[in-house]
Amino acid sequence: MPDVVFGEFADLIRSVGGDPLVAALPDVLRAQHTTGLALDLGAGTGIGTVTLADALPDSPVIAVERDPEMRTALMTRLAGRPDLRDRVTVLPGDVLADPEPGPWGLALAIHLVCQLAPEQRRQLLALLADRLAPDGVAVLDRHYGTADPKPVPETVSATVRQGDCEYQRVFAATAKPDRIHARNTYRVVRRGTVLAEHVVETTVYASDEATVLAEAAAAGLRHEFTGDRLVLLRPA
Ligand SMILES: C[S@@+](CC[C@H](N)C(=O)[O-])C[C@H]1O[C@@H](n2cnc3c(N)ncnc32)[C@H](O)[C@@H]1O
């Protein structure tokens, strides 16, 4: 059971209209000039993993992804890149449980922090502070959770055509003061008939950049923005 995104839809929905964050990533990663171990935490289907491996050709890369469906897509992506066979390792499991020993040269975490409960988020920041090499860096996106926990009625949030099927994501949420309970319904529709439907329910906590960066500082990490979508965290 996927806990965030339905793997069959993940890359398709993301591909529509381009993803500015993914577009910004290669230059930001290349600019870090690390040759140490590079990790992709919560690697999903591996868009970031391959970008990381290409940007840092002298680094061994470890991708950690707990969802078997996302990992299947990641392994399929890697199967198309035999040049990365020796250098990229995929680890099933939780990024916070039994983490890879340091020092880490670079840790990439895209759309991961926003998936974590506050306590897990602080655990992740403590882990980065502990594992990053003195000149190491973490690259995170700047979306940290829901900014405004409020209910959302069922809304079609994405529609993508593949062949003569339409792939739809319908979003709805109920709210508590500090979180939303999100329900994404993924539908494959052909000529008006629903061929498949899959519901993914998840909790997204309220958070904002000031809170997370204060937590990062408390963990011993200093931040630096790079563009409007990514932030770098380094040992203070
Ligand atoms: C929104 S997706 C983003 C995937 C990828 N980073 C990207 O940008 O395409 C978040 C991913 O993190 C994974 N994930 C969430 N919490 C995790 C954890 N504690 N350990 C390992 N993977 C986790 C989910 O299974 C999901 O594939």
Side-chain angles (χ1 to χ4, degrees), residues 1-5 10-11 14 19 21-22 25 40-49 64-71 77 91-97 108-116 120 124 141:
M1 170 72 180
D3 56 352
V4 184
V5 182
D11 281 5
R14 204 138 174 223
D19 181 336
L21 191 155
V22 170
L25 213 44
D40 187 8
L41 304 175
T45 65
I47 293 175
T49 308
V64 187
E65 173 53 55
R66 70 178 176 193
D67 184 315
E69 204 169 77
M70 298 296 254
R71 238 177 21 249
R77 188 185 298 280
L91 299 180
D94 193 299
V95 296
L96 299 173
L108 178 66
I110 300 298
H111 300 313
L112 176 66
V113 168
C114 60
Q115 313 289 337
L116 302 177
Q120 295 174 315
L124 176 68
D141 66 291

Side-chain angles (χ1 to χ4, degrees), residues 26-226:
D27 282 350
V28 169
L29 294 174
R30 268 195 298 268
Q32 307 314 316
H33 300 298
T34 182
T35 55
L37 179 62
L39 294 98
D40 187 8
L41 304 175
T45 65
I47 293 175
T49 308
V50 169
T51 306
L52 191 54
D54 287 338
L56 304 176
D58 296 320
S59 285
V61 173
I62 292 181
V64 187
E65 173 53 55
R66 70 178 176 193
D67 184 315
E69 204 169 77
M70 298 296 254
R71 238 177 21 249
T72 301
L74 165 56
M75 293 304 289
T76 302
R77 188 185 298 280
L78 288 176
R81 289 291 306 266
D83 57 312
L84 300 180
R85 186 72 43 85
D86 288 338
R87 195 157 60 85
V88 177
T89 300
V90 176
L91 299 180
D94 193 299
V95 296
L96 299 173
D98 193 23
E100 189 68 9
W104 297 354
L106 188 146
L108 178 66
I110 300 298
H111 300 313
L112 176 66
V113 168
C114 60
Q115 313 289 337
L116 302 177
E119 190 44 44
Q120 295 174 315
R121 183 179 70 222
R122 288 188 283 272
Q123 253 180 282
L124 176 68
L125 294 168
L127 178 65
L128 294 174
D130 181 65
R131 294 294 202 275
L132 284 175
D135 60 350
V137 62
V139 180
L140 274 60
D141 66 291
R142 295 178 64 182
H143 178 231
Y144 307 97
T146 183
D148 180 19
K150 60 176 187 222
V152 179
E154 279 213 339
T155 309
V156 177
S157 58
T159 305
V160 188
R161 182 161 283 281
Q162 175 70 49
D164 58 8
C165 285
E166 198 169 83
Y167 286 72
Q168 299 177 348
R169 183 183 62 204
V170 179
F171 178 83
T174 56
K176 291 188 175 173
D178 67 336
R179 69 192 75 176
I180 59 167
H181 182 74
R183 181 183 164 92
N184 279 301
T185 304
Y186 293 90
R187 284 194 190 118
V188 184
V189 181
R190 187 171 189 234
R191 297 175 189 146
T193 301
V194 177
L195 301 182
E197 184 171 288
H198 194 99
V199 175
V200 178
E201 303 200 26
T202 185
T203 299
V204 183
Y205 290 84
S207 189
D208 57 28
E209 188 155 65
T211 303
V212 175
L213 294 183
E215 290 173 354
L221 298 163
R222 63 189 162 88
H223 75 270
E224 179 193 327
F225 297 121
T226 174

